[in-house]
């Protein structure tokens, strides 16, 4: 029996997030404290939920809202970028942590989740074209 695509996606993104948590935990040993943010688990949670909600919207929007996949994709990309930039601005302007710590952690997580997102969206778009 084939799994529902959202269940499969939850498993993949949860695995990715857990691996990132363990990498962050083990990097405490090797990376100097000046470059390691103590807020990494919160950033991972933020990226997890934003990425999952974006995928869920792109999965259900063409079905429920009669949007084309391209429209759902652009709406999702714009919304995610708005969230990422607003978190970036809030953390930098509120001086929650040092800029270098935040920049390193946020940029690495951003790149990892964007690569994951591109791979999964490519698979989703192929499935939408088949239907």
């Amino acid at each position: 029996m084939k799994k529902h695509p959202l269940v499969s996606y939850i498993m993949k993104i949860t695995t990715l997030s857990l691996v990132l948590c363990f990498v962050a935990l083990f990097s405490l040993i090797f990376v100097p404290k000046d470059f390691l943010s103590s807020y990494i688990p919160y950033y991972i949670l933020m990226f997890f939920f934003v990425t999952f909600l974006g995928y869920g919207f792109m999965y259900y929007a063409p079905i429920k809202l009669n949007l084309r996949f391209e429209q759902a994709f652009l709406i999702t990309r714009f919304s995610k970028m708005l969230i990422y930039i607003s978190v970036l601005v809030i953390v930098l302007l509120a001086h929650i942590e040092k800029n270098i710590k935040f920049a390193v952690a946020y940029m690495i997580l951003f790149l990892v989740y964007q690569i994951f997102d591109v791979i999964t969206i490519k698979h989703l778009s192929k499935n939408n074209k088949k239907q």
Side-chain angles (χ1 to χ4, degrees):
M1 186 169 167
K2 192 173 180 179
K3 288 184 186 177
H4 190 274
L6 285 180
V7 173
S8 175
Y9 185 78
I10 288 173
M11 297 299 291
K12 289 176 188 175
I13 195 166
T14 302
T15 304
L16 173 70
S17 298
L18 287 174
V19 167
L20 287 174
C21 285
F22 282 116
V23 167
L25 181 66
F26 288 121
S27 67
L28 288 171
I29 299 169
F30 302 110
V31 178
K33 300 285 184 211
D34 295 338
F35 295 106
L36 192 62
S37 172
S38 60
Y39 296 104
I40 289 178
Y42 301 111
Y43 302 146
I44 290 174
L45 273 176
M46 181 206 58
F47 280 107
F48 174 87
F49 284 115
V50 169
T51 305
F52 175 69
L53 291 174
Y55 186 85
F57 180 78
M58 283 192 302
Y59 181 77
Y60 282 118
I63 299 166
K64 302 284 184 181
L65 301 176
N66 279 339
L67 291 175
R68 290 192 331 239
F69 181 79
E70 295 82 9
Q71 293 170 327
F73 176 78
L74 288 175
I75 291 170
T76 304
R77 283 291 167 193
F78 180 75
S79 302
K80 286 171 66 171
M81 211 43 143
L82 188 65
I83 291 170
Y84 294 150
I85 290 174
S86 41
V87 168
L88 178 74
V89 168
I90 288 170
V91 170
L92 290 178
L93 292 179
H95 301 290
I96 294 174
E97 62 182 324
K98 289 184 181 178
N99 290 348
I100 189 73
K101 287 182 178 183
F102 173 70
V104 169
Y106 199 79
M107 205 57 195
I108 290 171
L109 290 174
F110 178 78
L111 288 174
V112 168
Y113 276 95
Q114 288 302 312
I115 291 169
F116 174 79
D117 202 28
V118 166
I119 291 169
T120 55
I121 289 173
K122 182 179 176 187
H123 183 69
L124 178 65
S125 72
K126 283 183 182 178
N127 288 345
N128 280 352
K129 285 182 182 178
K130 290 179 184 177
Q131 295 174 353

